[in-house]
Amino acid sequence: QVRLVESGGGLVQVGGSLRLSCAASGGIIFSINDMAWYRQAPGTQRELVATNTSGRSTNYANSVKGRFTISRDNAKNTVYLQMNSLKPEDTARYYCNSVQYPASWGQGTQVTVSS
């Protein structure tokens, strides 16, 4: 069973940076999966933030374009999200998952941006 463990969140001031990590384990051929980061703020639906395909192409939500960078290390079965120039509206719980073969959601990692 695939397990996803997100980490790296925290409390940061406006304009600050954080780097999130998501480690996948348990029966996943990580390298062939398109991986994505999602986020969910209280009272809202989970939204797609960024994707990184097996071919290493990337896509971003307009709200984070130019500020966030998604990357991956297939040798470590890990996907990253570098977040710069953080804004209060980036406050949410962040999750990762496979795009093609989504597993059960992990616990996520909380990002709180204070103004």
Side-chain angles (χ1 to χ4, degrees), residues 50-65:
T51 59
N52 183 300
T53 72
S54 59
R56 304 299 182 104
S57 64
T58 58
N59 286 286
Y60 299 92
N62 287 335
S63 58
V64 306
K65 202 170 292 185

Side-chain angles (χ1 to χ4, degrees), residues 67-98:
R67 300 187 297 120
F68 290 11
T69 303
I70 186 172
S71 61
R72 64 194 294 159
D73 185 337
N74 288 340
K76 296 181 178 180
N77 282 7
T78 299
V79 61
Y80 304 98
L81 186 68
Q82 177 67 44
M83 307 187 298
N84 298 328
S85 302
L86 283 162
K87 303 176 180 180
E89 51 264 43
D90 296 319
T91 295
R93 196 156 194 90
Y94 285 71
Y95 303 84
C96 74
N97 215 327
S98 166

Side-chain angles (χ1 to χ4, degrees), residues 1-114:
Q1 185 173 357
V2 177
R3 184 179 181 219
L4 301 167
V5 180
E6 300 92 348
S7 61
L11 175 63
V12 64
Q13 291 187 330
V14 169
S17 298
L18 285 172
R19 188 192 194 209
L20 307 184
S21 300
C22 170
S25 62
I28 181 172
I29 305 175
F30 186 82
S31 61
I32 68 171
N33 279 262
D34 297 348
M35 296 299 295
W37 281 96
Y38 303 81
R39 67 186 181 188
Q40 187 170 22
T44 69
Q45 289 190 328
R46 191 169 289 159
E47 65 170 339
L48 178 64
V49 174
T51 59
N52 183 300
T53 72
S54 59
R56 304 299 182 104
S57 64
T58 58
N59 286 286
Y60 299 92
N62 287 335
S63 58
V64 306
K65 202 170 292 185
R67 300 187 297 120
F68 290 11
T69 303
I70 186 172
S71 61
R72 64 194 294 159
D73 185 337
N74 288 340
K76 296 181 178 180
N77 282 7
T78 299
V79 61
Y80 304 98
L81 186 68
Q82 177 67 44
M83 307 187 298
N84 298 328
S85 302
L86 283 162
K87 303 176 180 180
E89 51 264 43
D90 296 319
T91 295
R93 196 156 194 90
Y94 285 71
Y95 303 84
C96 74
N97 215 327
S98 166
V99 175
Q100 306 102 312
Y101 310 106
S104 298
W105 294 98
Q107 81 287 354
T109 186
Q110 178 67 35
V111 172
T112 303
V113 184
S114 65

